[in-house]
Amino acid sequence: SLKSACLDELGRDVKGLRVGMVQESTPEGMCEPAVIAGYEAACAALAAEGAEVFPVSIPLWSESWPIALGIIFHSSWAMAQSEGMGFGHGGLIDGDRAHGFDLMRRLEADDFPPFFKTWLLVGRYLHDDYFSTYFAKAQNLRIALRREVSSVLDSCDLLISPTTPGVA
């Protein structure tokens, strides 16, 4: 199974591992200097332990956050409209859960986290005023991004990139 294969790899060293450094993840001025220093130190540490660390290009990588937001905004709004059940899955629906979600959404929405309220508002706006065009574009770009990542993973075992532009 995939789980056991992953567990088998945990104790293995990194010698011979092919690590792709995503070039689009570190554009000039995007990350704080300390983040870049940590990223470069991690790459150097991998190389010092025998990994082959080399640059790779994933052109859509720099657009991955806007792509994700286009999907998150629309999907959050659509999920709320379906009382938390979603659409098109064809599975069982828990009516009590849907009813509870519906009551909570209508009576306690003031308690939603601000970011979630924003997602719902933007999703509704993009749906109503732009007819979900941005969702469609984001979904199509997500597919293209996946293809780019899959293609790069043909030449390397894993990708390395900073996870955040700022120091924690």
Side-chain angles (χ1 to χ4, degrees):
S1 78
L2 179 59
K3 181 179 177 182
S4 64
C6 291
L7 290 173
D8 291 344
E9 294 296 316
L10 282 177
R12 199 179 118 201
D13 63 23
V14 298
K15 188 173 181 136
L17 197 64
R18 299 170 303 157
V19 181
M21 299 168 53
V22 181
Q23 297 302 287
E24 291 80 5
S25 69
T26 56
E28 183 70 33
M30 185 175 120
C31 297
E32 291 180 6
V35 170
I36 296 297
Y39 171 66
E40 290 172 349
C43 293
L46 287 166
E49 292 296 321
E52 180 186 354
V53 182
F54 53 92
V56 296
S57 180
I58 303 174
L60 279 174
W61 188 275
S62 59
E63 302 303 321
S64 59
W65 184 236
I67 291 168
L69 287 177
I71 294 167
I72 288 168
F73 292 150
H74 185 280
S75 299
S76 297
W77 176 78
M79 186 62 72
Q81 295 310 299
S82 70
E83 311 310 350
M85 299 297 112
F87 298 103
H89 55 76
L92 293 173
I93 299 291
D94 182 336
D96 291 335
R97 181 172 168 258
H99 180 76
F101 184 94
D102 180 38
L103 289 174
M104 185 263 317
R105 181 170 65 95
R106 286 175 169 75
L107 301 175
E108 299 176 10
D110 287 346
D111 295 332
F112 286 170
F115 73 88
F116 187 62
K117 290 178 192 178
T118 302
W119 292 359
L120 295 177
L121 289 170
V122 172
R124 173 78 185 261
Y125 170 73
L126 292 174
H127 175 269
D128 290 355
D129 288 17
Y130 291 93
F131 313 109
S132 299
T133 302
Y134 290 105
F135 174 69
K137 288 180 180 183
Q139 284 286 66
N140 294 338
L141 286 169
R142 179 188 61 81
I143 293 167
L145 176 59
R146 271 186 79 174
R147 285 188 187 125
E148 287 182 2
V149 170
S150 291
S151 176
V152 167
L153 285 172
D154 288 341
S155 65
C156 55
D157 300 306
L158 63 94
L159 303 174
I160 189 168
S161 157
T163 56
T164 181
V167 176

